[in-house]
Amino acid sequence: MKADDHMNVVTMKNSKRIVLVAHDNMKKALLEWARYNKDLLARHELYATGSTGSLLSAALGVEIRCFKSGPLGGDQQIGAKIAEGGLDMVVFFWDPLEPHPHDVDVKALLRIAVVYNIPIACNRASADFVISSHLMQEPYERMVEDFEAMQRQRIASLPGRSIISMIPAC
């Protein structure tokens, strides 16, 4: 369904696809939050990065699909999964006081989540508000800007567009 020329509607199902991520200093907080919300989380399809996924699976007794560890490409895998339409929500307890060698990957992940209008919870309070929302238990129509269509339109308006317009869209 198209909302207009530059917006798409993406329908999230009742069961959301949620990725759970935590920096090392925040794993304990994410585990506590996940244990507290175990019954709510169990209704959804869960993903996580490396060791966080192993810890969550053992603590919750539910299936967790795991990506690589964040610094080893997991953040990028999550970003790709969002871009492909394979995730509905990000819970990322990141450590704002510690520098990380993969900070650029973290920033890229947060940026791509915003680009695709994915809910992001970065601390316990925001995660509590999101997970307890009635929207978590029903379909939700998420509006996503069609940046590719906007870019094609911009290119078509450039001088010399007759040559550019012959290039097919991917």
Side-chain angles (χ1 to χ4, degrees):
M1 175 194 290
K2 277 279 223 202
D4 64 32
D5 290 342
H6 300 290
M7 297 297 283
N8 292 321
V9 176
V10 177
T11 302
M12 297 177 178
K13 298 178 182 175
N14 291 3
S15 177
K16 308 298 186 277
R17 297 162 299 175
I18 303 170
V19 64
L20 305 163
V21 185
H23 282 151
D24 288 343
N25 292 346
M26 304 302 290
K27 288 187 190 319
K28 181 180 176 190
L30 180 64
L31 279 169
E32 289 171 0
W33 177 83
R35 280 189 193 108
Y36 182 82
N37 290 289
K38 178 182 175 180
D39 293 337
L40 291 172
L41 288 169
R43 300 176 192 167
H44 303 284
E45 193 174 315
L46 303 177
Y47 295 81
T49 50
S51 59
T52 303
S54 299
L55 292 169
L56 287 166
S57 181
L60 303 178
V62 298
E63 180 184 359
I64 309 277
R65 292 169 180 83
C66 290
F67 296 105
K68 292 182 180 289
S69 172
L72 300 178
D75 297 332
Q76 294 175 347
Q77 287 179 305
I78 293 167
K81 190 86 168 169
I82 290 170
E84 294 166 353
L87 291 172
D88 299 315
M89 179 180 163
V90 176
V91 176
F92 190 170
F93 283 23
W94 57 279
D95 186 347
L97 301 178
E98 290 289 323
H100 298 278
H102 67 293
D103 276 343
V104 293
D105 297 331
V106 171
K107 185 176 180 181
L109 169 57
L110 296 173
R111 186 186 68 75
I112 206 74
V114 170
V115 166
Y116 287 93
N117 197 22
I118 300 290
I120 312 165
C122 293
N123 56 37
R124 187 170 187 141
S126 60
D128 284 341
F129 272 84
V130 173
I131 199 74
S132 63
S133 168
H134 69 91
L135 299 174
M136 289 296 295
Q137 311 309 322
E138 59 190 54
Y140 176 76
E141 291 187 342
R142 177 169 50 91
M143 301 297 292
V144 180
E145 288 192 58
D146 188 344
F147 290 105
E148 292 174 3
M150 290 167 54
Q151 188 173 27
R152 285 192 300 274
Q153 187 177 30
R154 277 190 222 122
I155 289 171
S157 67
L158 293 174
R161 68 181 182 270
S162 58
I163 294 171
I164 295 172
S165 65
M166 290 189 239
I167 300 171
C170 294

